[in-house]
Amino acid sequence: MLIKLPSKIGLIIKVAIVFIALLYILSRFILMDGGNLSFPTFLIALRVHPFLFYGTILLMPLNWFLESLKWKNAAGRAIDISLSNALMGVLAGVTIGLATPNRIGEFVGRVFMVKGGDRIQLLLLSSVPSFAQVLVTIMLGLIGFVLHPELAGLATIDLILLFAGVFLVFSLPFIFRFIPYKWLKNIAVLRLFPRRLFARILLLSFLRYAVYVFQFCLILSFYGIVLNLELALVCIVISYFIVTIIPTFSFTEVFIRGGIAGIVFSNAGVSFNLAFAAAVTLWIINVAIPALIGTVFVFKLRFYANEE
């Protein structure tokens, strides 16, 4: 249920979100220009391989379309929602995510874009697509670790802690099903979530992951990074796995992504700077550009009952 407060407060919040997100994106570009992402290097690569770069950009809408389809399927358990509304909520969430720690604001964008419905239920349901994506990332990441454990550069104790955390994540759905219902009445919408529907969302998560991996391969080729396909795929899934499980703050996320990719790919004989540039370029395409588009939809969010 939404509360009634002056609409000006909602407008102020939205303007603040957009301002922080734009400031963040601008600051990342300024800092990256003096760091490992050399703009002249990018321009040279763009002159040599323009179609690889534009191909990566063209895949970005598919990436977020699949995420929107996941959210539409999950939210459909509580309320009727159109695909366009789901897409606007997802993009607004990307913008808010840049203005909040660990990108938790992504859930806010989805929930408050919907008109009506139980906000608590929608908030819980918004965790389902994210959990499915994390599950896919972990499963494929583990395969990468098994094939080439040396690429992560982790000590034995780190691997033990890593797999313990993975086991906990995999256990969550089973723990929910064995806890007494009276304790879980507030999250029954998750406990009773249909397995077939979750399988559909999981399949969409695999497809979205495949799009991301293909984008990464295109960007690697764009920067002239040559690896055999198996090694390139393993480096991608391991780096994405590590990025997913490490807690990050918005102002450091892009550099952590670039740094992890740089470390993993350098263990495979690739230049750290080029791998860093590839990961950051992909972040710009998949996060920064959608966040800029999402600023338009932030003003459509309904934080209060009297907002239209």
Side-chain angles (χ1 to χ4, degrees):
M1 181 178 180
L2 294 175
I3 58 177
K4 292 186 177 181
L5 286 175
S7 58
K8 287 184 179 179
I9 296 179
L11 180 61
I12 291 171
I13 293 174
K14 294 170 186 176
V15 170
I17 289 171
V18 170
F19 176 76
I20 294 172
L22 291 176
L23 185 64
Y24 171 77
I25 294 172
L26 179 62
S27 67
R28 296 310 93 182
F29 275 102
I30 292 173
L31 290 174
M32 285 186 293
D33 188 52
N36 289 304
L37 183 57
S38 171
F39 193 61
T41 301
F42 169 78
L43 291 179
I44 293 172
L46 184 61
R47 189 160 55 245
V48 177
H49 303 294
F51 293 109
L52 292 175
F53 179 72
Y54 296 132
T56 307
I57 291 180
L58 288 175
L59 286 171
M60 180 267 287
L62 177 59
N63 187 333
W64 291 108
F65 168 79
L66 291 171
E67 184 61 27
S68 302
L69 201 54
K70 287 163 56 183
W71 169 229
K72 182 181 185 301
N73 276 271
R77 290 288 296 168
I79 192 171
D80 288 331
I81 176 174
S82 66
L83 185 57
S84 61
N85 187 281
L87 179 59
M88 288 190 293
V90 166
L91 291 176
V94 177
T95 304
I96 300 173
L98 293 184
T100 53
N102 229 33
R103 291 172 67 176
I104 59 174
E106 290 190 359
F107 299 109
V108 175
R110 301 178 188 205
V111 171
F112 287 95
M113 183 62 69
V114 178
K115 186 175 183 179
D118 187 314
R119 301 291 164 177
I120 301 300
Q121 274 196 347
L122 288 169
L123 183 62
L124 292 170
L125 287 171
S126 69
S127 68
V128 175
S130 298
F131 178 76
Q133 199 67 55
V134 169
L135 210 56
V136 170
T137 303
I138 287 175
M139 288 188 291
L140 295 176
L142 289 177
I143 294 174
F145 275 112
V146 170
L147 293 175
H148 290 281
E150 74 283 356
L151 292 178
L154 298 176
T156 303
I157 185 62
D158 295 324
L159 288 173
I160 292 174
L161 292 173
L162 194 63
F163 281 95
V166 168
F167 177 78
L168 180 62
V169 171
F170 274 98
S171 301
L172 287 177
F174 302 100
I175 293 173
F176 280 143
R177 292 191 176 273
F178 288 104
I179 295 177
Y181 179 75
K182 63 180 181 179
W183 295 358
L184 289 175
K185 61 182 180 180
N186 292 328
I187 56 173
V189 69
L190 291 183
R191 190 171 185 265
L192 302 176
F193 199 86
R195 295 180 181 179
R196 182 172 294 182
L197 181 57
F198 182 73
R200 185 189 307 164
I201 293 174
L202 195 62
L203 176 60
L204 290 171
S205 298
F206 269 109
L207 292 175
R208 185 175 180 230
Y209 192 95
V211 171
Y212 172 84
V213 169
F214 188 45
Q215 283 181 299
F216 211 137
C217 288
L218 289 177
I219 286 296
L220 291 176
S221 298
F222 172 74
Y223 279 105
I225 298 173
V226 180
L227 286 173
N228 70 67
L229 183 59
E230 180 200 342
L231 193 56
L233 292 177
V234 170
C235 286
I236 292 171
V237 299
I238 288 178
S239 60
Y240 194 31
F241 175 92
I242 296 174
V243 166
T244 299
I245 64 171
I246 290 179
T248 59
F249 293 96
S250 297
F251 57 86
T252 61
E253 179 192 355
V254 61
F255 298 108
I256 289 176
R257 283 176 176 266
I260 289 173
I263 293 171
V264 173
F265 278 89
S266 63
N267 288 334
V270 175
S271 162
F272 178 95
N273 283 0
L274 285 179
F276 183 98
V280 171
T281 302
L282 196 56
W283 177 88
I284 292 171
I285 293 171
N286 281 340
V287 179
I289 294 177
L292 289 173
I293 298 171
T295 58
V296 177
F297 303 123
V298 166
F299 293 98
K300 292 181 176 289
L301 298 177
R302 302 175 181 89
F303 292 127
Y304 307 115
N306 56 330
E307 287 188 292
E308 295 296 336

Short mmCIF file of all heavy atoms in Angstrom, two decimals, residues 61-62 64-73 75 79-91 113-114 204 297:
data_model
loop_
_atom_site.label_atom_id
_atom_site.label_comp_id
_atom_site.label_asym_id
_atom_site.label_seq_id
_atom_site.Cartn_x
_atom_site.Cartn_y
_atom_site.Cartn_z
N PRO A 61 20.00 -4.28 -26.06
CA PRO A 61 18.54 -4.32 -25.87
C PRO A 61 18.01 -5.73 -25.62
O PRO A 61 17.08 -5.91 -24.83
CB PRO A 61 18.00 -3.75 -27.18
CG PRO A 61 19.12 -2.91 -27.72
CD PRO A 61 20.36 -3.63 -27.33
N LEU A 62 18.60 -6.74 -26.28
CA LEU A 62 18.17 -8.12 -26.06
C LEU A 62 18.47 -8.54 -24.63
O LEU A 62 17.66 -9.21 -23.98
CB LEU A 62 18.89 -9.05 -27.05
CG LEU A 62 18.60 -10.55 -26.90
CD1 LEU A 62 17.11 -10.83 -27.06
CD2 LEU A 62 19.43 -11.35 -27.90
N TRP A 64 18.50 -6.68 -21.90
CA TRP A 64 17.52 -6.13 -20.96
C TRP A 64 16.10 -6.53 -21.28
O TRP A 64 15.22 -6.53 -20.40
CB TRP A 64 17.68 -4.61 -20.89
CG TRP A 64 18.97 -4.24 -20.22
CD1 TRP A 64 20.09 -3.72 -20.80
CD2 TRP A 64 19.29 -4.43 -18.84
NE1 TRP A 64 21.09 -3.57 -19.87
CE2 TRP A 64 20.63 -3.99 -18.65
CE3 TRP A 64 18.59 -4.92 -17.74
CZ2 TRP A 64 21.26 -4.04 -17.42
CZ3 TRP A 64 19.21 -4.97 -16.50
CH2 TRP A 64 20.54 -4.53 -16.35
N PHE A 65 15.84 -6.90 -22.53
CA PHE A 65 14.52 -7.45 -22.87
C PHE A 65 14.30 -8.77 -22.13
O PHE A 65 13.21 -9.02 -21.58
CB PHE A 65 14.41 -7.66 -24.38
CG PHE A 65 13.21 -8.48 -24.79
CD1 PHE A 65 11.95 -7.91 -24.86
CD2 PHE A 65 13.35 -9.83 -25.12
CE1 PHE A 65 10.84 -8.66 -25.23
CE2 PHE A 65 12.25 -10.59 -25.48
CZ PHE A 65 11.00 -10.00 -25.54
N LEU A 66 15.32 -9.60 -22.12
CA LEU A 66 15.22 -10.89 -21.42
C LEU A 66 15.03 -10.69 -19.92
O LEU A 66 14.26 -11.41 -19.28
CB LEU A 66 16.47 -11.74 -21.69
CG LEU A 66 16.61 -12.27 -23.12
CD1 LEU A 66 17.98 -12.90 -23.34
CD2 LEU A 66 15.50 -13.29 -23.43
N GLU A 67 15.74 -9.70 -19.36
CA GLU A 67 15.57 -9.40 -17.93
C GLU A 67 14.16 -8.91 -17.64
O GLU A 67 13.56 -9.27 -16.62
CB GLU A 67 16.61 -8.36 -17.49
CG GLU A 67 16.58 -8.05 -16.00
CD GLU A 67 16.87 -9.24 -15.12
OE1 GLU A 67 17.58 -10.17 -15.57
OE2 GLU A 67 16.39 -9.25 -13.96
N SER A 68 13.62 -8.10 -18.54
CA SER A 68 12.25 -7.59 -18.38
C SER A 68 11.24 -8.72 -18.47
O SER A 68 10.24 -8.74 -17.74
CB SER A 68 11.95 -6.54 -19.45
OG SER A 68 12.87 -5.48 -19.38
N LEU A 69 11.50 -9.67 -19.36
CA LEU A 69 10.61 -10.82 -19.51
C LEU A 69 10.63 -11.67 -18.24
O LEU A 69 9.59 -12.19 -17.80
CB LEU A 69 11.06 -11.65 -20.72
CG LEU A 69 10.03 -12.60 -21.35
CD1 LEU A 69 8.77 -11.85 -21.72
CD2 LEU A 69 10.64 -13.27 -22.58
N LYS A 70 11.79 -11.80 -17.62
CA LYS A 70 11.91 -12.51 -16.35
C LYS A 70 11.07 -11.83 -15.27
O LYS A 70 10.34 -12.49 -14.52
CB LYS A 70 13.37 -12.59 -15.91
CG LYS A 70 14.23 -13.54 -16.71
CD LYS A 70 15.70 -13.25 -16.51
CE LYS A 70 16.10 -13.27 -15.05
NZ LYS A 70 17.52 -12.92 -14.86
N TRP A 71 11.18 -10.50 -15.19
CA TRP A 71 10.43 -9.75 -14.18
C TRP A 71 8.93 -9.83 -14.43
O TRP A 71 8.14 -9.97 -13.50
CB TRP A 71 10.91 -8.30 -14.17
CG TRP A 71 10.07 -7.36 -13.38
CD1 TRP A 71 9.60 -6.15 -13.80
CD2 TRP A 71 9.60 -7.49 -12.02
NE1 TRP A 71 8.87 -5.54 -12.80
CE2 TRP A 71 8.85 -6.34 -11.70
CE3 TRP A 71 9.74 -8.50 -11.06
CZ2 TRP A 71 8.24 -6.16 -10.47
CZ3 TRP A 71 9.13 -8.32 -9.82
CH2 TRP A 71 8.40 -7.16 -9.53
N LYS A 72 8.53 -9.78 -15.69
CA LYS A 72 7.10 -9.89 -16.03
C LYS A 72 6.55 -11.24 -15.57
O LYS A 72 5.45 -11.32 -15.02
CB LYS A 72 6.90 -9.73 -17.53
CG LYS A 72 5.44 -9.79 -17.99
CD LYS A 72 5.33 -9.65 -19.49
CE LYS A 72 3.87 -9.59 -19.93
NZ LYS A 72 3.09 -10.78 -19.53
N ASN A 73 7.32 -12.30 -15.80
CA ASN A 73 6.87 -13.63 -15.38
C ASN A 73 6.76 -13.73 -13.87
O ASN A 73 5.80 -14.31 -13.33
CB ASN A 73 7.84 -14.69 -15.90
CG ASN A 73 7.55 -15.11 -17.32
OD1 ASN A 73 6.77 -16.03 -17.56
ND2 ASN A 73 8.15 -14.44 -18.29
N ALA A 75 6.50 -11.14 -11.57
CA ALA A 75 5.50 -10.21 -11.03
C ALA A 75 4.09 -10.68 -11.34
O ALA A 75 3.14 -10.35 -10.62
CB ALA A 75 5.72 -8.81 -11.60
N ILE A 79 0.31 -9.59 -9.84
CA ILE A 79 -0.39 -8.51 -10.52
C ILE A 79 -0.19 -8.63 -12.02
O ILE A 79 0.81 -9.17 -12.48
CB ILE A 79 0.14 -7.14 -10.02
CG1 ILE A 79 -0.77 -6.00 -10.47
CG2 ILE A 79 1.57 -6.91 -10.45
CD1 ILE A 79 -0.41 -4.66 -9.84
N ASP A 80 -1.16 -8.14 -12.78
CA ASP A 80 -1.01 -8.10 -14.24
C ASP A 80 -0.04 -6.97 -14.59
O ASP A 80 -0.22 -5.84 -14.14
CB ASP A 80 -2.36 -7.85 -14.92
CG ASP A 80 -3.28 -9.06 -14.85
OD1 ASP A 80 -2.74 -10.19 -14.81
OD2 ASP A 80 -4.50 -8.88 -14.83
N ILE A 81 0.94 -7.28 -15.41
CA ILE A 81 1.93 -6.28 -15.78
C ILE A 81 2.30 -6.47 -17.25
O ILE A 81 2.53 -7.61 -17.70
CB ILE A 81 3.19 -6.38 -14.88
CG1 ILE A 81 4.26 -5.39 -15.32
CG2 ILE A 81 3.72 -7.79 -14.82
CD1 ILE A 81 5.47 -5.34 -14.39
N SER A 82 2.33 -5.40 -17.99
CA SER A 82 2.69 -5.47 -19.41
C SER A 82 4.20 -5.56 -19.55
O SER A 82 4.95 -5.19 -18.64
CB SER A 82 2.17 -4.24 -20.15
OG SER A 82 2.83 -3.07 -19.69
N LEU A 83 4.64 -6.01 -20.71
CA LEU A 83 6.07 -6.11 -20.97
C LEU A 83 6.72 -4.73 -21.01
O LEU A 83 7.84 -4.55 -20.54
CB LEU A 83 6.31 -6.85 -22.29
CG LEU A 83 7.78 -7.14 -22.65
CD1 LEU A 83 8.47 -7.94 -21.54
CD2 LEU A 83 7.88 -7.87 -23.98
N SER A 84 5.98 -3.74 -21.54
CA SER A 84 6.53 -2.38 -21.60
C SER A 84 6.72 -1.81 -20.19
O SER A 84 7.72 -1.14 -19.90
CB SER A 84 5.63 -1.47 -22.42
OG SER A 84 4.33 -1.38 -21.84
N ASN A 85 5.77 -2.09 -19.30
CA ASN A 85 5.89 -1.63 -17.92
C ASN A 85 7.05 -2.32 -17.22
O ASN A 85 7.79 -1.69 -16.46
CB ASN A 85 4.58 -1.89 -17.16
CG ASN A 85 4.59 -1.29 -15.77
OD1 ASN A 85 5.18 -1.84 -14.85
ND2 ASN A 85 3.91 -0.15 -15.61
N ALA A 86 7.20 -3.61 -17.51
CA ALA A 86 8.32 -4.37 -16.92
C ALA A 86 9.65 -3.81 -17.40
O ALA A 86 10.59 -3.65 -16.61
CB ALA A 86 8.20 -5.84 -17.29
N LEU A 87 9.73 -3.48 -18.70
CA LEU A 87 10.96 -2.93 -19.26
C LEU A 87 11.29 -1.57 -18.64
O LEU A 87 12.44 -1.29 -18.28
CB LEU A 87 10.84 -2.80 -20.77
CG LEU A 87 12.05 -2.22 -21.52
CD1 LEU A 87 13.28 -3.07 -21.28
CD2 LEU A 87 11.77 -2.12 -23.02
N MET A 88 10.27 -0.70 -18.49
CA MET A 88 10.50 0.61 -17.88
C MET A 88 10.97 0.46 -16.44
O MET A 88 11.87 1.17 -15.99
CB MET A 88 9.22 1.45 -17.95
CG MET A 88 8.87 1.95 -19.33
SD MET A 88 7.51 3.16 -19.34
CE MET A 88 6.13 2.14 -18.80
N GLY A 89 10.37 -0.49 -15.71
CA GLY A 89 10.77 -0.72 -14.33
C GLY A 89 12.20 -1.22 -14.22
O GLY A 89 12.96 -0.80 -13.34
N VAL A 90 12.57 -2.11 -15.13
CA VAL A 90 13.93 -2.66 -15.12
C VAL A 90 14.96 -1.57 -15.41
O VAL A 90 15.99 -1.45 -14.74
CB VAL A 90 14.05 -3.82 -16.13
CG1 VAL A 90 15.52 -4.17 -16.40
CG2 VAL A 90 13.32 -5.04 -15.61
N LEU A 91 14.69 -0.74 -16.42
CA LEU A 91 15.63 0.33 -16.79
C LEU A 91 15.70 1.41 -15.71
O LEU A 91 16.79 1.92 -15.40
CB LEU A 91 15.23 0.94 -18.13
CG LEU A 91 15.40 0.04 -19.35
CD1 LEU A 91 14.89 0.71 -20.61
CD2 LEU A 91 16.86 -0.37 -19.52
N MET A 113 7.36 0.96 -10.23
CA MET A 113 6.86 1.27 -11.57
C MET A 113 5.47 0.69 -11.76
O MET A 113 4.66 1.18 -12.55
CB MET A 113 7.81 0.71 -12.64
CG MET A 113 7.41 1.04 -14.07
SD MET A 113 7.42 2.81 -14.42
CE MET A 113 9.19 3.16 -14.36
N VAL A 114 5.16 -0.35 -11.00
CA VAL A 114 3.86 -1.03 -11.10
C VAL A 114 2.79 -0.22 -10.39
O VAL A 114 3.01 0.27 -9.28
CB VAL A 114 3.95 -2.44 -10.48
CG1 VAL A 114 2.58 -3.12 -10.54
CG2 VAL A 114 4.99 -3.28 -11.21
N LEU A 204 15.34 -18.31 -19.12
CA LEU A 204 15.57 -16.94 -19.59
C LEU A 204 16.88 -16.40 -19.04
O LEU A 204 17.59 -15.64 -19.72
CB LEU A 204 14.41 -16.04 -19.17
CG LEU A 204 13.07 -16.29 -19.89
CD1 LEU A 204 11.95 -15.48 -19.23
CD2 LEU A 204 13.17 -15.93 -21.36
N PHE A 297 12.59 7.10 -17.23
CA PHE A 297 11.53 6.33 -16.59
C PHE A 297 11.49 6.50 -15.08
O PHE A 297 10.48 6.15 -14.45
CB PHE A 297 11.69 4.85 -16.95
CG PHE A 297 11.67 4.59 -18.43
CD1 PHE A 297 12.73 3.94 -19.06
CD2 PHE A 297 10.61 5.02 -19.21
CE1 PHE A 297 12.73 3.71 -20.42
CE2 PHE A 297 10.60 4.81 -20.58
CZ PHE A 297 11.66 4.15 -21.19
#
